[in-house]
Amino acid sequence: MTIQELSGPWGAARVAELGGCVLSWQPAGHGEVLFLSRDAQLTPGSMWHGGIPVCAPWFGQGRGDWQVPHGHGLVSRVPWHTETVENLDDGATVVLTLPATQTAHLPGASRYPADLAYRLEITVGAAALTVALTITSPTQDVTVDVALHPYFRLNTTGTTLTGLEGVGFQDALRDWATGTAEAPLAFGEHLDLVFDAAPPLFLSDGETTLRLATSSANRTVVWNPGPASRELSAEWDQFVCVEYGNVREGAITIPAGGAHTMSMTVEL
């Protein structure tokens, strides 16, 4: 499976065509920013823990009255096509594309237009990483969930997330009970919260501080499996996931002939 290896005075990064997933970002003078599980298997048809997976055209277990065949959609399970790679002294850009014909064989694909098209632009440098996803629907109106699902390599139990104070949330672990964040979030137990806004955020474990921002997202998802995790029992304390997206009640409708672009920027 093709992996784009990028490097220069700015640092290094790796982008997998499978899933259109950023696997690694190591800015010059800094350690690895992203977490990749030691058990990650880059195998078509599967989705792994780590990097920045793309979730579309549904998120989690989806919406509505149907049971999704697997979590987080279709596009993370098939190879994307590399359109361009530009590697310069101050950074690099990779553009990947994916027509819906590449996902047509997967369960659940028939519920979405057969001509959906996806474009992912990834820009990396010494101080920032930006991922921008565009979904185009040429001939039909369609409602989709979309999220960028980064795993940040941090000391989980020492990490705090600020910027969501006063924002309402739904708790996936408590039958979508609602609440409001009243203080910076701390980690150390299973969390799965969907917040009703997507403001700029600061994520810090005392050694590394990341500033997160988005364009055109309306939800923030905060997730960590905690120490009782079956799949990540030995690694849960090495990462946190803070995701921007348009999910659940925030899903977006793309009109026929239209497109939607959502981006996420991570700054050191």
Side-chain angles (χ1 to χ4, degrees):
M1 193 60 59
T2 300
I3 295 177
Q4 300 295 340
E5 304 278 357
L6 311 167
S7 64
W10 55 270
R14 302 170 71 232
V15 178
E17 286 190 340
L18 180 59
C21 184
V22 183
L23 298 176
S24 172
W25 177 40
Q26 292 182 282
H30 196 282
E32 176 61 62
V33 175
L34 302 176
F35 167 86
L36 185 65
S37 172
R38 63 192 181 193
D39 295 329
Q41 298 291 326
L42 275 64
T43 304
S46 66
M47 184 176 180
W48 57 86
H49 295 290
I52 309 179
V54 180
C55 305
W58 69 80
F59 176 78
Q61 298 306 306
R63 294 170 294 101
D65 58 357
W66 69 296
Q67 184 172 357
V68 301
H70 41 69
H72 290 333
L74 304 170
V75 301
S76 65
R77 300 172 185 275
V78 296
W80 293 52
H81 171 69
T82 300
E83 288 282 346
T84 60
V85 178
E86 185 177 32
N87 204 351
L88 304 175
D89 285 348
D90 59 352
T93 299
V94 179
V95 176
L96 305 171
T97 57
L98 179 71
T101 52
Q102 292 296 102
T103 64
H105 64 288
L106 295 174
S110 61
R111 298 183 67 94
Y112 295 88
D115 57 355
L116 277 182
Y118 303 87
R119 181 181 188 274
L120 193 66
E121 183 171 332
I122 300 156
T123 304
V124 289
L129 177 154
T130 298
V131 181
L133 174 68
T134 300
I135 304 178
T136 303
S137 186
T139 59
Q140 300 180 49
D141 295 352
V142 62
T143 299
V144 296
D145 295 270
V146 56
L148 299 171
H149 189 342
Y151 290 70
F152 295 114
R153 181 176 289 278
L154 295 165
N155 174 12
T156 306
T157 56
T159 294
T160 56
L161 176 65
T162 58
L164 289 167
E165 297 82 1
V167 178
F169 63 78
Q170 298 178 0
D171 190 338
L173 303 179
R174 293 169 176 80
D175 198 26
W176 301 107
T178 59
T180 301
E182 298 180 356
L185 289 181
F187 298 83
E189 60 181 6
H190 192 180
L191 287 178
D192 195 352
L193 305 174
V194 180
F195 285 85
D196 299 334
L201 302 170
F202 287 92
L203 188 62
S204 179
D205 67 358
E207 293 188 4
T208 297
T209 298
L210 303 175
R211 182 184 184 275
L212 313 180
T214 182
S215 172
S216 299
N218 56 33
R219 295 292 188 274
T220 305
V221 182
V222 180
W223 178 75
N224 180 270
S229 169
R230 295 179 182 177
E231 296 176 286
L232 294 160
S233 59
E235 297 180 286
W236 73 272
D237 58 352
Q238 299 174 34
F239 72 91
V240 298
C241 292
V242 180
E243 313 159 38
Y244 284 128
N246 303 107
V247 302
R248 294 183 58 76
E249 292 85 352
I252 51 101
T253 298
I254 303 172
H260 175 77
T261 298
M262 186 195 78
S263 70
M264 175 190 70
T265 295
V266 183
E267 296 179 324
L268 285 171

